[in-house]
């Protein structure tokens, strides 16, 4: 019987364990989670008497990973109400035009209103974009190192206003980062491909939009029936049924080769302040990059160095529980995004009880609205105490909606330190370095948001891929013995 230890009990760690347990039911699988509960960025809190998501709340449904996972777990799905995205720009709420690719318009004319006449004219005069292709160590031009930031590419092609007013708020919603620092290659692959093929960005946006035709009734986003934050407990229950040990309050502090046992791994685990040794044939590290870098420093220095260079955005999600009457007075939509160029405190808001019918049904007495604050290199707002964040968020919310909002019945501040990894220029190459270094080490791999995408479907994909790698490596060892 083989044994595998999973470090981290966020969605990536739990799914890696699930994949192993369902593929190799006789193996001994253990998940070590430092926190007192599993789930990582998938989390619910009780606010005004109901459990509400205070972290991730939905998954992209046009990718198969979460759809398949829920089917395996026997968990029903729900879908949000569909409204066009709103932007709170220059003091008013404007709909994002249809047919955009991460905020890039297919037709600049459609952005009139959101953009001034001069800004529309500049966007309509689309210009070519230069991608820098650095030299490799051997001195050749290294095509696979070519990259450009999303913001620089869009600014060169369509002007700064399209970046500031359309792309930045959308990218910010996903990465809590800065468009002029995030890699086009890693964050918006269809944009990068268009640049490489010498196509116009508006054309790429049109192609992306026509791939999703307006009469396409397939769902775009979804979540488990009781909200995304209920997924970790569903996974935990499924893992318990399969004999997987999920240990919470257990921080892995060291990872090294076992002495005297060829081919196995030794983990030092801290529980209740005391060290506990643990041996395993395989290990999957699914923590955020800084913790993974520390654990891998001695055994995989190159991977550790690459992981250690990934920066994170810290942010807060502030949730208000208003009296139910607020529900009907909110502007039509499921929330809005905020261009940072306007200097507001909040960067987005979700009208949760409008967006999620499951929540409105579960809590008919409450209208939940949440706002997010803080983004990469713009985190000073988070120095405020919780009650100040609550007041600042309420001010912006009142101004954006034009409502004289009543005092909330209840409210909650969730701070997310190391919330979202930033895919800086060269991220794709960085991830290649991490994986190349780890291929030297049998049955040891990494998974999670730092690698191939921050969204939950991408995390699930990395978890299953890492589990498959460990299954292959340990299976191959079986054949040798
Ligand atoms: C506020 C917010 C909203 C988001 N919204 C969405 C959304 O709506 N849709 C979407 O698709 N994505 C969303 N995301 C992104 C997505 O939720 C995350 O990328 C994903 O959940 C990360 O999962 P993970 O398992 O890779 O990492 P994590 O969730 O960070 O889990 C890692 C776990 O490792 C544990 N750990 C750390 N160090 C150790 C150690 N030494 N030993 C043991 N355990 C350790 C941590 O406690 C943590 O539980 C959001 C992210 C944030 C922050």
């Amino acid at each position: 019987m083989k044994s595998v230890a999973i470090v981290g009990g966020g969605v990536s760690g739990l799914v890696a364990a699930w994949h192993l347990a369902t593929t190799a039911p006789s193996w001994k699988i253990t998940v070590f989670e430092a926190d007192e509960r599993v789930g990582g960025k998938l989390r619910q809190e009780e606010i005004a008497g109901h459990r509400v998501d205070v972290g991730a709340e939905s998954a992209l449904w046009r990718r198969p990973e979460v759809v398949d996972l829920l089917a395996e777990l026997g968990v029903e799905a729900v879908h949000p109400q569909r409204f066009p995205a709103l932007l709170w720009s220059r003091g008013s709420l404007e709909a994002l035009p249809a047919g955009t690719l991460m905020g890039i318009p297919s037709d600049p004319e459609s952005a009139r209103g959101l953009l001034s006449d001069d800004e529309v004219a500049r966007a309509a005069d689309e210009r070519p974009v230069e991608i820098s292709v650095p030299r490799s160590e051997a001195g050749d031009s290294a095509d696979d190192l070519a990259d450009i930031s999303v913001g620089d590419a869009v600014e060169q092609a369509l002007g700064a206003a399209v970046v500031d007013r359309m792309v930045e708020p959308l990218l910010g919603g996903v990465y809590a980062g800065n468009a002029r620092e995030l890699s086009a290659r890693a964050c918006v692959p269809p944009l990068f491909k268009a640049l490489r093929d010498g196509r116009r960005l508006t054309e790429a946006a049109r192609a992306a939009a026509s791939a999703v035709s307006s009469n396409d009734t397939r769902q775009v986003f979804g979540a488990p029936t009781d909200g995304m934050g209920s997924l970790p407990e569903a996974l935990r229950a499924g893992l318990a049924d399969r004999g997987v040990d999920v240990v919470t309050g257990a921080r892995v502090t060291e990872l090294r080769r076992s002495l005297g046992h060829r081919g196995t791994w030794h983990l030092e685990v801290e529980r209740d302040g005391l060290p506990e040794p643990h041996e395993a044939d395989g290990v999957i590290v699914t923590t955020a990059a800084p913790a993974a870098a520390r654990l891998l420093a001695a055994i995989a220095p190159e991977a550790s160095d690459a992981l250690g260079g990934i920066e994170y955005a810290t942010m807060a999600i502030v949730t208000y529980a208003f009296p139910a009457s607020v529900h009907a007075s909110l502007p039509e939509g499921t929330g809005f995004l905020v261009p940072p160029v306007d200097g507001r405190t909040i960067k987005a808001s979700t009208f949760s009880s409008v967006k999620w019918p499951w929540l409105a049904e579960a809590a008919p007495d409450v209208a939940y609205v949440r706002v997010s604050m803080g983004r990469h290199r713009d985190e000073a707002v988070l120095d405020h105490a919780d009650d100040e964040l609550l007041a600042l968020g309420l001010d912006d919310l009142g101004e954006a909606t034009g409502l004289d909002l009543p005092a909330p019945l209840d409210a909650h501040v969730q701070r997310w330190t190391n919330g979202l990894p930033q895919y800086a220029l060269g991220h794709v190459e960085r991830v290649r370095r991490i994986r190349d270094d780890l291929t030297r080490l049998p049955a040891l791999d990494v998974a999670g948001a730092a690698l191939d995408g921050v969204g939950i479907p991408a995390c699930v994909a990395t978890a299953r891929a890492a589990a498959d790698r460990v299954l292959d490596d340990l299976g191959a060892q079986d054949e040798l013995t």
Side-chain angles (χ1 to χ4, degrees):
M1 187 174 75
K2 299 290 182 187
S3 59
V4 182
I6 315 279
V7 186
V11 69
S12 303
L14 295 173
V15 170
W18 171 255
H19 191 80
L20 288 166
T22 48
T23 315
S26 63
W27 288 15
K28 181 179 178 320
I29 319 293
T30 311
V31 179
F32 294 109
E33 167 54 53
D35 203 350
E36 291 304 328
R37 56 173 138 172
V38 291
K41 273 94 188 184
L42 275 54
R43 184 183 183 105
Q44 292 186 328
E45 292 290 345
E46 194 167 308
I47 307 173
H50 304 280
R51 296 198 65 73
V52 182
D53 287 320
V54 295
E57 48 148 26
S58 70
L60 192 57
W61 226 244
R62 298 225 164 128
R63 287 186 59 146
E65 293 88 349
V66 177
V67 183
D68 293 349
L69 178 65
L70 294 197
E72 286 171 34
L73 291 166
V75 171
E76 296 287 320
V78 288
H79 303 282
Q81 301 266 35
R82 285 168 82 165
F83 283 101
L86 293 177
L87 292 165
W88 183 29
S89 177
R90 295 179 166 127
S92 65
L93 289 176
E94 304 278 346
L96 182 75
T100 62
L101 167 63
M102 195 53 97
I104 301 166
S106 332
D107 173 11
E109 194 56 45
S110 65
R112 198 178 291 280
L114 194 54
L115 302 184
S116 69
D117 291 351
D118 286 353
E119 290 162 352
V120 171
R122 168 64 188 87
D125 173 26
E126 185 164 353
R127 297 178 195 164
V129 177
E130 288 289 321
I131 309 179
S132 70
V133 181
R135 304 245 150 223
S136 72
E137 279 171 18
D140 318 321
S141 82
D143 223 27
D144 53 353
L145 299 180
D147 206 349
I148 186 168
S149 80
V150 179
D152 287 339
V154 177
E155 183 162 350
Q156 283 181 38
L158 304 168
V162 175
V163 182
D164 293 338
R165 305 239 155 238
M166 301 180 72
V167 174
E168 191 81 90
L170 267 100
L171 259 188
V174 180
Y175 291 92
N178 298 289
R180 290 176 179 81
E181 293 185 37
L182 291 167
S183 152
R185 189 172 194 144
C187 299
V188 196
L191 163 68
F192 190 72
K193 184 164 185 327
L195 293 170
R196 297 300 296 274
D197 297 347
R199 280 185 296 135
R200 288 169 171 267
L201 300 192
T202 44
E203 217 180 280
R206 236 181 335 267
S210 64
V212 186
S213 74
S214 56
N215 56 10
D216 188 341
T217 51
R218 283 177 309 148
Q219 296 293 345
V220 184
F221 293 102
T225 6
D226 295 327
M228 191 51 86
S230 66
L231 180 59
E233 280 310 322
L235 274 163
R236 190 175 185 162
L239 292 171
D241 287 348
R242 282 162 181 76
V244 173
D245 213 1
V246 178
V247 193
T248 52
R251 179 177 298 281
V252 178
T253 55
E254 198 188 332
L255 173 60
R256 56 177 153 81
R257 281 282 200 200
S258 304
L259 297 172
H261 297 274
R262 250 188 75 239
T264 63
W265 296 101
H266 177 96
L267 296 92
E268 281 292 310
V269 183
E270 191 184 289
R271 286 180 76 185
D272 298 324
L274 297 172
E276 266 182 27
H278 185 90
E279 303 290 326
D281 299 305
V283 176
I284 302 177
V285 178
T286 72
T287 66
R294 280 193 295 278
L295 288 173
L296 295 174
I299 47 179
E302 175 84 2
S304 164
D305 180 59
L307 282 160
I310 299 175
E311 296 187 11
Y312 276 70
T314 288
M315 72 260 264
I317 298 287
V318 179
T319 307
Y320 304 94
F322 292 111
S325 56
V326 166
H327 191 119
S329 53
L330 288 167
E332 187 171 278
T334 53
F336 57 87
L337 298 163
V338 187
V341 68
D342 281 347
R344 309 286 186 180
T345 304
I346 63 174
K347 73 178 174 57
S349 174
T350 306
F351 307 154
S352 306
S353 298
V354 178
K355 180 170 179 179
W356 295 103
W358 73 265
L359 186 57
E361 270 169 39
D365 48 332
V366 185
Y368 290 100
V369 177
R370 72 184 210 171
V371 299
S372 58
M373 299 176 183
R375 59 181 199 131
H376 189 224
R377 301 196 205 293
D378 186 11
E379 286 142 352
V381 65
L382 303 175
D383 294 342
H384 288 286
D386 285 4
D387 57 340
E388 293 170 324
L389 289 186
L390 286 166
L392 287 167
L394 210 49
D395 285 350
D396 270 4
L397 203 52
E399 198 179 332
T401 57
L403 295 175
D404 187 8
L405 291 163
L409 307 167
D410 195 4
H412 177 268
V413 176
Q414 179 67 50
R415 292 170 189 270
W416 289 110
T417 304
N418 283 352
L420 283 162
Q422 301 297 298
Y423 290 4
L425 289 188
H427 182 81
V428 172
E429 170 60 15
R430 180 185 293 277
V431 172
R432 193 189 58 71
R433 272 172 59 207
I434 295 168
R435 292 207 163 107
D436 280 359
D437 195 27
L438 292 177
T439 51
R440 296 182 297 108
L441 301 168
L444 174 75
D445 211 345
V446 289
L451 302 172
D452 305 329
V454 300
I456 298 164
C459 292
V460 171
T462 64
R464 294 210 193 250
D468 277 334
R469 149 106 204 270
V470 167
L471 284 160
D472 274 0
D473 283 4
L474 296 181
Q477 281 185 12
D478 262 347
E479 281 165 22
L480 290 173
T481 50

